[in-house]
Amino acid sequence: MSALPEGFVLGSATASYQVEGAAREDGRGPSIWDTYSHTPGLVWNGDTGDVACDHYDRYEQDLDIMAELGLDAYRFSIAWPRIQPTGRGEPNLAGLDFYDRLVDGLLERRIRPVATLYHWDLPQALEDAGGWPARDTALAFADYAAIVGRRLGDRVGMWTTLNEPWCSAYLGYASGAHAPGRREPAAALAAVHHLNLAHGLSLQALRSVVTGTPDYSATLNFHVLRGEDDAVRQIDGLANRVFLQPMLEGGYPEDVLADTAAVSDWSFVRDGDVETIRQPIDVLGVNYYSTARVRVWDGVSERLTADGHKGVGASPWPGAERVEFPPQPGPYTEMGWNIEPAGLTELLLRLHRDHGVPLMVTENGAAFADEVVPDPTRPGGKAVHDEQRVAYVRDHVAAVLDAAEQGADVRGYFVWSLLDNFEWGYGYSKRFGIVRVDYETQERILKDSALWFAELARTRRLP
Ligand code: IFM
């Protein structure tokens, strides 16, 4: 299949801390990523999101680029500390006004707003009170969701509660490779549960205030695993099923509770939580970049702990001390992640088979070392010939179409990312954008991948 299915949504994605900048403008409070990135030694080159792509002040220009590319939808995230600078209490109206303008600007350009409530910028005050390992954070999240839903709920086309809670829980609280940088495996499991609870509570809160007829969703970053059965089972449990099962089917997988019993007794799960977490969703967001290889560690040789996705710091896998992560065969992107489009087809088919839920690829893309070259035929006289990214995106869109042809109900594809941006612990050293950002001048240059994507959007067929 090379034609996009009828109604298939093509979009691009970003996240607040990665693109907005304006870290202290209009009453925004500090988030855990401000604290983390300002702590020496934690982020490459000491980079921070203070300025990033200055999207907060240049959003009109970025909206024009999206319109020029012919995007159907834009997936952005809302910065909780702009809405509630300490994570609780009265809303900061200037913060809400920004997203109001953004949503209106999208609708004026006939681009569907897809809003994520949480893409990792937890208000620092909530972390100081315990962070995601504390139940109160989930309750506060529901209040925040209601505030945002009241203000934007007549216009947002799709709501996503959480982006990649795997990263928030395990990289934030077990490996320490992400903010807040804690290395407490038991706390990471409590964070898993409270993120799941936040998902359920925020869906209830949104549904009670939203006046439009949006789709509701959550986005997970799935681990597509290769290797030995028991290692695959364990990591699949911790990475995928610990979110999928409570959100879609109800309750936690028995094997995950058993595997992690020495780390936690899961007594933070209270009566009624299982029911609260399992709320109806219209679409499951799927983020996919690569696959990972696992095997049972022999206990003798040096254990390969590097996780193919964010392999720095301590292990992000509570209770999986006997699993190791050998390197995957290439080719690789600039992140060192292997390129395997067939993994995406396989994942979509699995999710379709096991859960029967409509799917949306909410992130897929690649970092490569781009080069800007003079080109008098292009606006601004510059071009970026990112053939590898074009091939990556093309092959992954083809993989999505393969899954659709084999019966998976896949409703859209969002390329990560619209803009080069702050890549968390890697700072600005990794460029994922289909649009180049010059961080000195804030100039935007459409890369060849952006032009390719525009062609896809225009013709609705794989160029
Ligand atoms: O940049 C991130 C994004 O914030 C979440 N998903 C993966 C991307 C690439 O690492």
Side-chain angles (χ1 to χ4, degrees):
M1 188 195 282
S2 67
L4 302 180
E6 184 68 29
F8 192 85
V9 176
L10 272 187
S12 70
T14 65
S16 46
Y17 190 73
Q18 295 181 271
V19 299
E20 285 179 1
R24 279 172 283 280
E25 259 178 67
D26 291 342
R28 177 186 178 280
S31 79
I32 54 174
W33 270 99
D34 295 286
T35 309
Y36 189 87
S37 64
H38 280 271
T39 306
L42 296 183
V43 173
W44 180 87
N45 192 41
D47 290 348
T48 73
D50 287 1
V51 178
C53 310
D54 196 25
H55 174 74
Y56 188 80
D57 290 311
R58 295 169 194 262
Y59 71 94
E60 288 275 3
Q61 180 191 355
D62 294 334
L63 292 175
D64 287 341
I65 291 174
M66 295 177 218
E68 187 183 338
L69 299 183
L71 301 186
D72 302 318
Y74 174 52
R75 174 176 182 255
F76 61 96
S77 79
I78 296 170
W80 188 352
R82 281 198 198 285
I83 308 302
Q84 290 176 297
T86 61
R88 294 183 201 279
E90 288 305 304
N92 170 38
L93 296 182
L96 282 170
D97 289 346
F98 169 68
Y99 296 106
D100 212 61
R101 293 193 296 274
L102 183 69
V103 166
D104 284 345
L106 286 165
L107 293 175
E108 277 159 24
R109 292 165 180 82
R110 307 177 68 81
I111 300 171
R112 187 184 191 205
V114 174
T116 299
L117 289 174
Y118 187 72
H119 197 129
W120 311 352
D121 37 6
L122 183 71
Q124 181 62 43
L126 290 183
E127 174 55 31
D128 296 341
W132 284 111
R135 187 177 179 91
D136 270 359
T137 301
L139 309 185
F141 189 70
D143 295 341
Y144 154 66
I147 291 170
V148 176
R150 251 182 231 113
R151 182 68 181 268
L152 304 177
D154 53 340
R155 285 157 292 151
V156 163
M158 173 165 149
W159 290 97
T160 302
T161 54
L162 305 174
N163 179 70
E164 303 185 356
W166 181 88
C167 296
S168 306
Y170 298 117
L171 299 180
Y173 294 94
S175 79
H178 275 192
R182 286 164 58 181
R183 293 184 177 181
E184 302 162 38
L189 295 175
V192 165
H193 178 61
H194 296 133
L195 283 154
N196 278 330
L197 188 61
H199 160 79
L201 289 170
S202 63
L203 281 179
Q204 289 177 334
L206 282 176
R207 284 197 163 101
S208 71
V209 298
V210 157
T211 55
T213 49
D215 287 335
Y216 294 98
S217 69
T219 277
L220 303 177
N221 57 316
F222 292 97
H223 284 61
V224 176
L225 299 159
R226 314 273 180 239
E228 295 169 11
D229 287 353
D230 198 51
V232 167
R233 181 196 59 72
Q234 280 188 60
I235 299 303
D236 182 52
L238 282 170
N240 303 327
R241 290 182 287 112
V242 83
F243 299 107
L244 277 173
Q245 185 168 320
M247 286 183 183
L248 299 178
E249 317 297 337
Y252 285 100
E254 287 299 330
D255 64 323
V256 173
L257 302 183
D259 288 343
T260 57
V263 182
S264 170
D265 61 5
W266 291 72
S267 54
F268 38 74
V269 181
R270 296 200 191 157
D271 286 352
D273 286 359
V274 162
E275 292 72 23
T276 303
I277 295 168
R278 187 182 174 213
Q279 298 296 317
I281 58 169
D282 301 296
V283 175
L284 178 65
V286 176
N287 290 0
Y288 174 86
Y289 290 87
S290 62
T291 57
R293 183 162 300 275
V294 290
R295 70 178 171 220
V296 176
W297 177 47
D298 62 15
V300 180
S301 53
E302 194 184 348
R303 183 172 167 231
L304 301 167
T305 55
D307 173 71
H309 288 265
K310 310 273 178 184
V312 286
S315 167
W317 302 107
E321 288 76 23
R322 293 304 300 261
V323 176
E324 66 173 354
F325 293 78
Q328 278 284 62
Y332 306 104
T333 68
E334 188 69 10
M335 297 295 285
W337 301 348
N338 70 308
I339 301 174
E340 197 180 338
L344 179 54
T345 310
E346 176 187 324
L347 171 63
L348 294 168
L349 289 171
R350 166 194 170 172
L351 293 170
H352 174 72
R353 185 191 66 225
D354 291 356
H355 302 287
V357 63
L359 304 165
M360 182 92 94
V361 176
T362 40
E363 277 183 35
N364 173 251
F368 288 109
D370 300 323
E371 200 192 335
V372 181
V373 295
D375 185 340
T377 68
R378 296 277 177 89
K382 294 174 197 162
V384 177
H385 300 307
D386 56 339
E387 301 91 358
Q388 289 171 294
R389 186 174 293 104
V390 171
Y392 181 100
V393 174
R394 189 194 181 287
D395 292 349
H396 284 80
V397 174
V400 173
L401 299 183
D402 273 358
E405 201 165 46
Q406 291 178 61
D409 180 1
V410 201
R411 308 237 167 130
Y413 174 96
F414 288 72
V415 64
W416 183 270
S417 176
L418 177 71
L419 304 171
D420 290 338
N421 59 47
F422 177 81
E423 178 53 23
W424 309 112
Y426 299 90
Y428 297 100
S429 66
K430 307 291 180 202
R431 293 179 176 271
F432 275 90
I434 56 171
V435 176
R436 165 98 182 181
V437 175
D438 178 326
Y439 297 114
E440 295 297 314
T441 62
Q442 293 296 345
E443 182 188 10
R444 273 67 167 147
I445 302 170
L446 301 194
K447 303 181 191 177
D448 286 1
S449 53
L451 303 179
W452 182 90
F453 207 69
E455 181 73 356
L456 175 66
R458 193 179 63 75
T459 61
R460 315 295 295 175
R461 305 187 72 81
L462 272 184

